[in-house]
Amino acid sequence: MAAKPKAELQRDAERTRAELLTVATEVFAESGYSGARVDEIAERTRTTKRMIYYYFGGKEGLYLAVLEQAYRGIREAEQRLKVDHRDPVEAIRRLAEVTFDHHIAHDAFIRLVSIENIHRGEFIRKLADLPQLSAPATSLLDEILRDGRAAGVFRNDVVALDVHLLISSYCVFQVANKFTFGYLFDVDLTETSQRAHLRRMIGDVVVGWLTSNA
């Protein structure tokens, strides 16, 4: 049998690595770092532990790759957002809604963040490039806030990190607490009409806050 061309081998390697990251994301989100087993990830991807160690160096390396990919996903979603800076009110609403949509669609991301906080940020501190990767989250907000102040519609005593904290807190809550909050108050946060209401609400909250005392 003829050997595969180099380009095809590269594609195979990329597919294998991508599949490992996808499955590992599910396993770490389900079981946490301590409970996740490399054997299970290998079995679910129909590969071997040896391949995981080859691509990632082991369980910790795989977990770090999963974390980085998860954070990269939300940052890329923000950067894909096309906002009309001539209308800063609509721009900030759209950013809040996009963040809400991404968190709802990627609940594994929220569970990974929760797990990492259980570990007091032990692993995320090993990702030296992550703070730089996260910088666009506030730089986009800086632009929108600057435009809003110039137009006289946004207050002057709020910084980008304040807005990012507010939006992130609200959106994370929808996923992280949906079972406990749902049980205590007999509400299904995932129900379609409820979700649409909550999506509008974060936009209203952010816009209302930023335009008060403008």
Side-chain angles (χ1 to χ4, degrees):
M1 181 182 296
K4 288 185 177 182
K6 185 176 181 180
E8 188 174 344
L9 288 173
Q10 179 66 27
R11 286 193 296 271
D12 287 346
E14 290 172 357
R15 281 194 295 268
T16 299
R17 192 177 189 279
E19 185 181 7
L20 283 168
L21 281 173
T22 298
V23 172
T25 297
E26 297 169 358
V27 173
F28 283 122
E30 290 167 0
S31 305
Y33 179 78
S34 302
R37 294 171 51 250
V38 173
D39 285 331
E40 179 184 357
I41 296 169
E43 182 179 343
R44 286 170 62 167
T45 53
R46 299 182 302 280
T47 186
T48 63
K49 287 175 63 175
R50 178 175 167 274
M51 293 301 293
I52 293 174
Y53 278 83
Y54 173 77
Y55 284 112
F56 301 100
K59 180 179 177 179
E60 181 176 315
L62 178 57
Y63 178 68
L64 289 173
V66 164
L67 267 185
E68 182 173 1
Q69 178 175 265
Y71 275 96
R72 189 177 296 279
I74 181 61
R75 298 288 87 89
E76 290 177 349
E78 291 165 347
Q79 291 305 297
R80 286 195 300 269
L81 176 63
K82 303 300 181 184
V83 296
D84 185 352
H85 289 270
R86 292 172 300 179
D87 188 347
V89 171
E90 181 59 24
I92 202 71
R93 181 184 294 277
R94 285 283 298 119
L95 180 59
E97 291 174 348
V98 164
T99 304
F100 181 90
D101 291 342
H102 184 278
H103 283 38
I104 293 297
H106 299 83
D107 63 341
F109 168 67
I110 307 304
R111 285 181 281 156
L112 287 168
V113 172
S114 299
I115 290 164
E116 187 56 22
N117 278 288
I118 289 173
H119 289 279
R120 299 179 181 271
E122 173 187 352
F123 297 99
I124 199 172
R125 295 175 189 277
K126 299 178 182 182
L127 294 170
D129 294 336
L130 209 53
Q132 183 178 357
L133 177 66
S134 299
T138 52
S139 62
L140 177 58
L141 280 166
D142 274 327
E143 293 175 15
I144 299 172
L145 290 175
R146 185 176 60 247
D147 292 341
R149 293 188 190 107
V153 295
F154 284 168
R155 58 195 297 172
N156 294 312
D157 59 344
V158 175
V159 298
L161 191 60
D162 297 334
V163 183
H164 182 61
L165 176 62
L166 174 63
I167 295 173
S168 295
S169 301
Y170 180 91
C171 295
V172 167
F173 187 94
Q174 311 303 318
V175 179
N177 296 71
K178 63 184 175 183
F179 298 111
T180 51
F181 193 83
Y183 171 71
L184 292 172
F185 297 100
D186 190 26
V187 60
D188 182 1
L189 297 181
T190 66
E191 194 270 327
T192 303
S193 62
Q194 186 68 244
R195 184 172 293 175
H197 166 70
L198 294 169
R199 186 178 190 269
R200 287 192 303 272
M201 196 163 85
I202 183 55
D204 291 342
V205 167
V206 175
V207 168
W209 175 45
L210 289 177
T211 56
S212 65
N213 302 319

